[in-house]
Amino acid sequence: MLYLGLISGTSADGIDAALARFDSEAAGKPELVFGRTYAWDTALRERLVALGQQSATLTLDEIAELDVRIGHAFAEAALRALADSGTPAAEVAAIGSHGQTLRHRPQGRPQDGLPQESRPQEGMVPYTLQLGDPNTIAERTGVRVVADFRRRDVAAGGHGAPLLPALHAALLSAPGEDRAVLNLGGIANFTLLPKQAAGDRGQVRGFDTGPANGLMDAWCLRHTGHGFDRDGAFAAAGRVDDALLARLLDEPWFALPPPKSTGRDQFHLGWVESRLGGHEAPQDVQATLLALSARSIADALRAAQPGTARVIACGGGVHNGALMQALARALPGCIVESSAAHGIDPDFVEAMGFAWLAHATVHGLPGNLPSVSGARGPRILGGVYAA
């Protein structure tokens, strides 16, 4: 009952691979057996980051070629994970591959002159697109692949995101307190676990809150040459620009009610630059972007579950000490801690989640939560690609 989960998030900072063991066919609590992050080829990563900008365009030939290139990168990560963990491919029931998100527009493509909504407006076509050809992964690894998890939920009227609240509920619910699981990837998202959710998945809610690491990573790369701000040192060298922060927080998306989701095509450097006055020091912008992440996350939690006693954080942002401290300051009276405090490696929760989703699909179990995504009902997610 071994499943391998693969994901590259909105920051495209690496391909996370997590090997998880399941003790039964029921979608219960998986055990993380092995986790590792494998670096992208530098040129391919730069291409992916550039494509996250709203203005980026591709020809059909470029999309088709990129799909296969990403598939090869994911296959290579899978093969390396199996080799590094000493696991024969024959012992893996399936690979759950999220792929690399190229566009995520569950509300449909924005149209000039129309206000943003959390649901598609008339004439809009909702869609989400992840690349990483699963046929290539199956062919190279010899393992069955489950992929394309998000589009079925979108087809059912949902946002296709977040997809992991059911796993968060299985792993981290507690009858004694209201909790929230916070994923700090390129984008931040919450899973809200009220006390009663420990026995009722219908009580679980979740939604994206906006930027986490994505904007900070992109700004840091542009001005320092480093792909991320180690422990928030670049931000700590600057001061928060309150006027800029107010302009950033004035973004209409923040006021949308859940269900809602977003991505790098909404929150990108062009979005930041459109709000700059032109005189800001780079380190001050970085400090302000960190404050934007902490403030938008805290505001969203207070609005959605004001009685939250504990925030359990996972994802790469857990390692940014300045961000974690800013979150703690923004949420007085609330414990803010890493999922490591609960015995769960924060770096591989998402990858383990796609192993969990593959396990659910293989056994004919729904993977989405309508209370989170807004879909019309539970759905079995993804397609299965035979080895």
Side-chain angles (χ1 to χ4, degrees), residues 1-386:
M1 299 293 285
L2 290 174
Y3 287 76
L4 180 64
L6 301 171
I7 182 172
S8 173
T10 52
S11 290
D13 51 358
I15 300 172
D16 294 335
L19 191 65
R21 177 181 289 113
F22 295 78
D23 292 330
S24 70
E25 293 185 1
K29 295 184 178 182
E31 173 194 358
L32 180 65
V33 176
F34 173 85
R36 190 160 294 174
T37 300
Y38 297 98
W40 283 100
D41 170 80
T42 301
L44 182 53
R45 180 183 186 267
E46 289 175 354
R47 181 76 167 133
L48 295 176
V49 171
L51 289 174
Q53 306 306 308
Q54 187 170 356
S55 59
T57 58
L58 285 174
T59 67
L60 287 176
D61 284 338
E62 288 172 324
I63 292 173
E65 180 180 316
L66 191 60
D67 187 34
V68 176
R69 286 185 181 275
I70 294 172
H72 279 294
F74 271 67
E76 186 65 27
L79 290 169
R80 290 178 65 186
L82 295 178
D84 292 343
S85 64
T87 304
E91 293 185 6
V92 178
I95 294 170
S97 177
H98 171 268
Q100 180 68 50
T101 297
L102 192 65
R103 281 290 183 272
H104 183 69
R105 301 214 188 269
Q107 306 99 323
R109 186 170 57 183
Q111 297 181 15
D112 292 340
L114 292 178
Q116 279 193 302
E117 301 288 347
S118 58
R119 291 291 188 185
Q121 298 179 13
E122 185 176 355
M124 291 185 177
V125 178
Y127 62 89
T128 186
L129 178 62
Q130 287 74 42
L131 298 186
D133 177 29
N135 299 283
T136 299
I137 302 171
E139 182 67 24
R140 288 195 56 192
T141 63
V143 179
R144 172 174 51 178
V145 175
V146 186
D148 196 18
F149 291 98
R150 297 190 187 275
R151 291 202 294 175
R152 181 59 191 273
D153 187 87
V154 172
H159 274 250
L163 284 184
L164 302 189
L167 174 65
H168 294 159
L171 293 175
L172 292 165
S173 288
E177 63 183 7
D178 291 337
R179 291 181 168 185
V181 179
L182 172 62
N183 177 48
L184 292 170
I187 296 296
N189 54 67
F190 269 126
T191 296
L192 303 182
L193 302 172
K195 299 172 187 177
Q196 60 268 36
D200 182 3
R201 293 203 324 177
Q203 298 291 331
V204 177
R205 292 177 294 150
F207 54 92
D208 287 354
T209 68
N213 307 314
L215 291 178
M216 289 189 287
D217 288 350
W219 188 260
C220 188
L221 179 63
R222 173 178 291 184
H223 291 278
T224 72
H226 299 292
F228 66 97
D229 186 7
R230 186 177 296 277
D231 207 31
F234 185 33
R239 295 170 48 179
V240 175
D241 183 324
D242 291 329
L244 173 59
L245 179 60
R247 293 195 295 272
L248 295 171
L249 287 168
D250 197 41
E251 164 60 45
W253 187 89
F254 290 122
L256 294 178
K260 65 181 192 176
S261 58
T262 189
R264 201 170 56 218
D265 46 334
Q266 163 74 41
F267 292 106
H268 50 81
L269 287 187
W271 178 81
V272 175
E273 290 164 344
S274 69
R275 289 153 175 80
L276 295 178
H279 58 278
E280 297 90 350
Q283 64 271 25
D284 291 345
V285 174
Q286 186 75 357
T288 306
L289 292 177
L290 188 148
L292 171 69
S293 294
R295 172 76 177 273
S296 58
I297 289 167
D299 287 351
L301 184 60
R302 278 192 290 265
Q305 188 173 271
T308 301
R310 186 182 307 269
V311 172
I312 303 169
C314 57
V318 168
H319 303 296
N320 185 329
L323 177 59
M324 292 292 285
Q325 292 168 15
L327 285 167
R329 290 193 298 270
L331 293 166
C334 181
I335 299 170
V336 178
E337 62 189 8
S338 166
S339 65
H342 299 264
I344 301 171
D345 191 325
D347 291 325
F348 298 104
V349 174
E350 275 205 298
M352 186 166 60
F354 284 93
W356 185 87
L357 286 169
H359 175 270
T361 299
V362 166
H363 291 94
L365 301 171
N368 67 334
L369 286 181
S371 61
V372 170
S373 71
R376 288 184 285 272
R379 296 291 188 270
I380 299 172
L381 303 180
V384 181
Y385 298 78

